[in-house]
Amino acid sequence: MELTDADLVARVLVDDDQHAFGELVRRHQSSVRGMLRQLTRTDVALADDLAQETFLRAYKNIRSFRGEARFSTWLYRIAYNCFREDARRRKEFVGIDEEQLQAEQDPQAVDSALRHDLMHALSLLPLHERSAVLLCCQNGLSHDEAARVLDIPLGTVKTNVLRGREKLKRTLAEWGPN
Amino acid sequence: MDEISEEDKLDRQLREAAPYLDDNGFTARVLHQLPAPRCTRRSFRGAILLGAALLASALAYVASDGGRFLIVAMARLAALPTLWFFVVVFGSGILVMTAGAVAAIAKASELQS
């Protein structure tokens, strides 16, 4: 019988079982790294560094996981905080801003396959809409869970998801049916 | 209705568009960076408890004139009528069982929280 996330967390808490934590990492690494890759606009190295930081923080603070939300939701929240802190630092040092990054997107890099079109369209969304769409539409979180992860009001999440969806639809429609 | 199914379609496409990322040593790198397990602290705690129990036993033995109170208590128990003896044994059993159940419930609720 496969252990649930809650069982594994209990093992980490009681026995400091690092194998159990390893299993949690194996289960969630793909979704956390995938989300961070989208947030960092496919900067794979940075996303993986942030994902490592996410899991290390999760291990150190596992006692603060109360089991009220899903373990994955708790991880997304840590991952999003890691990303936000890093973005803040980089903004200070490099002066990156959303519009500048958006303008730097290379239109030639657009792949014709739907999968790549979608991921590219997603990466063009502003951060607040991208993160809401990523969590709700791609990772299946409820609006309420996403609001807790992003630490913003429920209504704002709904608006961001709606606007993000609309923009995605528009962008994909502009690129045609292929 | 169409709008809802269109949203579902977009969500499904988004989920399908996100590829599963192979681990490629990611988990091993994370585990390598974890702090050392707390086993030393746990065994230290065990040693303190064992030491305290041994010390308390030794003190009780010395203070009770070589454990004389045990012999006296056993003699008293043996002198009890059968019914009273049964009541004392049954009561002790219930007491130990209740303490065990309380400890188990406390541990379970600690794990759940």
Side-chain angles (χ1 to χ4, degrees), chain A residues 105-125 167-178:
Chain A
Q105 293 290 323
D106 178 9
Q108 298 302 313
V110 177
D111 197 291
S112 60
L114 177 65
R115 172 179 293 194
H116 291 95
D117 285 354
L118 255 176
M119 297 316 264
H120 185 75
L122 191 60
S123 74
L124 292 177
L125 293 178
K167 285 183 187 169
L168 278 180
K169 278 187 219 161
R170 264 205 309 275
T171 313
L172 291 174
E174 279 168 18
W175 288 343
N178 55 332

Side-chain angles (χ1 to χ4, degrees), chain A residues 13-14 16 18 22 26 29-30 33-34 37 51-52 55-56 59 63 66 115 118 137-138 165 169, chain B residues 6-7 11 13-18 20-23 26-27 29 33-35 37-38 42 111 113:
Chain A
L13 279 170
V14 177
D16 200 12
Q18 296 196 342
R26 253 185 297 279
Q29 58 87 20
S30 178
R33 287 163 72 204
R37 282 185 188 188
Q52 277 196 35
F55 284 108
L56 286 176
Y59 181 77
R63 283 184 189 281
R66 297 264 162 225
R115 172 179 293 194
L118 255 176
C137 306
Q138 200 169 59
R165 268 202 187 114
K169 278 187 219 161
Chain B
E6 212 173 300
E7 280 179 6
D11 288 4
Q13 284 175 336
L14 274 167
R15 277 193 290 274
E16 286 168 358
Y20 178 82
L21 301 174
D22 285 327
D23 190 90
F26 177 82
T27 302
R29 284 196 294 280
Q33 288 184 50
L34 294 183
R38 297 187 305 257
R42 283 168 66 88
L111 282 178
S113 68

Side-chain angles (χ1 to χ4, degrees), chain A:
Chain A
M1 194 185 75
E2 194 175 305
L3 293 170
T4 63
D5 283 358
D7 294 333
L8 292 168
V9 169
R11 285 187 178 198
V12 178
L13 279 170
V14 177
D15 298 327
D16 200 12
D17 185 346
Q18 296 196 342
H19 291 293
F21 188 74
E23 180 56 29
L24 286 168
V25 178
R26 253 185 297 279
R27 279 185 193 178
H28 297 286
Q29 58 87 20
S30 178
S31 56
V32 170
R33 287 163 72 204
M35 184 185 100
L36 285 165
R37 282 185 188 188
Q38 280 300 321
L39 288 174
T40 58
R41 288 203 164 96
T42 65
D43 184 339
V44 176
L46 174 63
D48 277 9
D49 284 349
L50 292 175
Q52 277 196 35
E53 176 65 23
T54 299
F55 284 108
L56 286 176
R57 280 192 199 180
Y59 181 77
K60 286 175 189 164
N61 299 302
I62 200 149
R63 283 184 189 281
S64 66
F65 174 63
R66 297 264 162 225
E68 288 153 0
R70 283 182 289 172
F71 185 69
S72 55
T73 308
W74 186 66
L75 275 180
Y76 292 147
R77 178 157 173 73
I78 299 175
Y80 186 73
N81 283 341
C82 284
F83 164 75
R84 211 162 48 174
E85 284 168 26
D86 179 75
R88 226 175 268 151
R89 264 199 310 271
R90 287 153 65 82
K91 214 171 191 176
E92 277 171 18
F93 291 119
V94 193
I96 296 170
D97 71 26
E98 283 284 319
E99 283 68 32
Q100 188 184 338
L101 270 170
Q102 207 157 329
E104 281 169 1
Q105 293 290 323
D106 178 9
Q108 298 302 313
V110 177
D111 197 291
S112 60
L114 177 65
R115 172 179 293 194
H116 291 95
D117 285 354
L118 255 176
M119 297 316 264
H120 185 75
L122 191 60
S123 74
L124 292 177
L125 293 178
L127 179 62
H128 55 282
E129 289 169 10
R130 194 171 2 127
S131 42
V133 168
L134 265 171
L135 289 170
C136 295
C137 306
Q138 200 169 59
N139 290 310
L141 266 67
S142 66
H143 289 148
D144 199 41
E145 287 173 319
R148 264 182 270 154
V149 170
L150 302 171
D151 199 21
I152 53 176
L154 180 63
T156 312
V157 171
K158 287 180 181 173
T159 309
N160 288 343
V161 169
L162 201 70
R163 284 185 186 155
R165 268 202 187 114
E166 281 308 311
K167 285 183 187 169
L168 278 180
K169 278 187 219 161
R170 264 205 309 275
T171 313
L172 291 174
E174 279 168 18
W175 288 343
N178 55 332

